[in-house]
Amino acid sequence: MRPSESFDRLRWQMVVQQIETRNISNPAVLEAMRTIPRHLFVPQKYQQHAYEDRPILIGKQQTISQPYIVALMTDLLRLRGDEMVLEIGTGSGYQAAVLATMVRHVYTIERHPELARRAALTLHALDFNNVTVLEGDGSRGWPEFAPYEAIMVTAAAPKAPQPLLDQLALGGRMVLPVGVRGKQYLEVWTHDEEGHHSEMVVPVSFVPLVGEYGFEENEQEAQ
Ligand code: SAM
């Protein structure tokens, strides 16, 4: 068996055993996760572990999220296919790739230049032409391309950053972990004529969002 065939098999098993069994049935999410080679987004020494039911270290004390959490957060955005999406926390670029198969364009921001560069190279090598990787403090959002129909934050914030709420389009949805270090809830925010509304979904544990509208730098550490 060629190595890529064994990764294909592991990827199918990941979708069946970790995602479908946890009641994610959105066909576009399942298809994206069945086809995107997640092992190419992790350091080579961890490639054999890429399809396991857990996050994996990607350098700079940061992680690529557990596959189920990627699926759940993507599903919670209720994407239709024509959205401009903002992701905060590019990390490996894997979540951006999943989103990119489902929407018009993904702008994704990473604060660590080295991770941003590596993610951009991976996405380019895999022909994801509708992803723009930006370097900087994503807690401020990226007003230049706003408003966004969907926003996903893949690092934990003490509260929903106001600039991100301001950059969420009318009718848009934002998903992010909110809480203290090591312990947060996924929140889904919506924006309608009456304002912004939020609901808590499930408990999660993410690395911190570090920046002006996140945690302070010295509070940073992988969870
Ligand atoms: N979505 C990523 C993936 O698919 O690999 C995983 C994200 S990892 C859990 C969180 C990322 O958020 C880290 O790469 C971290 O450096 C980044 N981050 C933390 N604070 C940030 C900020 N203010 N702006 C942009 N990125 C930030």
Side-chain angles (χ1 to χ4, degrees):
M1 196 188 302
R2 285 183 292 115
S4 66
E5 286 174 17
S6 74
F7 284 127
D8 289 349
R9 193 167 43 80
L10 290 172
R11 194 158 56 245
W12 273 80
Q13 284 171 357
M14 170 190 85
V15 171
V16 174
Q17 293 169 3
Q18 301 172 35
I19 298 173
E20 289 181 306
T21 52
R22 289 173 173 136
N23 294 325
I24 306 262
S25 57
N26 181 331
V29 175
L30 299 177
E31 180 61 13
M33 298 193 65
R34 250 184 236 123
T35 49
I36 296 169
R38 180 173 159 96
H39 61 282
L40 299 182
F41 290 83
V42 304
Q44 200 157 11
K45 62 181 172 185
Y46 297 137
Q47 283 195 350
Q48 289 298 335
H49 303 288
Y51 297 99
E52 293 174 6
D53 192 16
R54 61 184 176 95
I56 291 174
L57 288 169
I58 55 168
K60 302 282 169 202
Q61 289 187 299
Q62 305 303 320
T63 53
I64 177 175
S65 301
Q66 179 191 6
Y68 167 62
I69 293 293
V70 173
L72 176 64
M73 291 177 79
T74 310
D75 189 37
L76 286 169
L77 285 178
R78 305 277 181 265
L79 299 165
R80 294 176 314 269
D82 56 350
E83 294 89 349
M84 303 286 257
V85 180
L86 179 67
E87 185 204 12
I88 314 301
T90 314
S92 68
Y94 176 71
Q95 174 72 74
V98 170
L99 290 167
T101 64
M102 299 174 62
V103 302
R104 187 168 349 148
H105 200 95
V106 180
Y107 295 94
T108 178
I109 312 177
E110 172 56 53
R111 68 182 284 267
H112 284 295
E114 199 182 310
L115 295 181
R117 269 198 300 276
R118 204 190 308 150
L121 283 174
T122 308
L123 290 162
H124 180 71
L126 292 170
D127 285 335
F128 283 98
N129 300 317
N130 61 339
V131 182
T132 306
V133 180
L134 304 158
E135 211 183 285
D137 176 7
S139 76
R140 299 188 198 127
W142 204 275
E144 191 182 342
F145 306 113
Y148 305 95
E149 284 90 24
I151 299 180
M152 182 188 291
V153 185
T154 60
K159 62 181 216 173
Q162 189 58 46
L164 299 185
L165 292 172
D166 295 342
Q167 291 169 37
L168 187 63
L170 204 58
R173 289 169 77 85
M174 173 163 83
V175 176
L176 80 168
V178 175
V180 295
R181 282 192 296 159
K183 206 171 163 200
Q184 309 99 32
Y185 268 85
L186 268 190
E187 288 187 357
V188 177
W189 284 78
T190 48
H191 182 197
D192 62 25
E193 272 88 2
E194 284 159 21
H196 294 86
H197 316 274
S198 71
E199 67 180 276
M200 291 200 287
V201 185
V202 288
V204 286
S205 180
F206 273 79
V207 294
L209 180 75
V210 177
E212 188 177 346
Y213 295 87
F215 290 97
E216 286 186 13
E217 171 103 56
N218 61 8
E219 291 182 71
Q220 183 186 17
E221 96 199 10
Q223 305 293 324

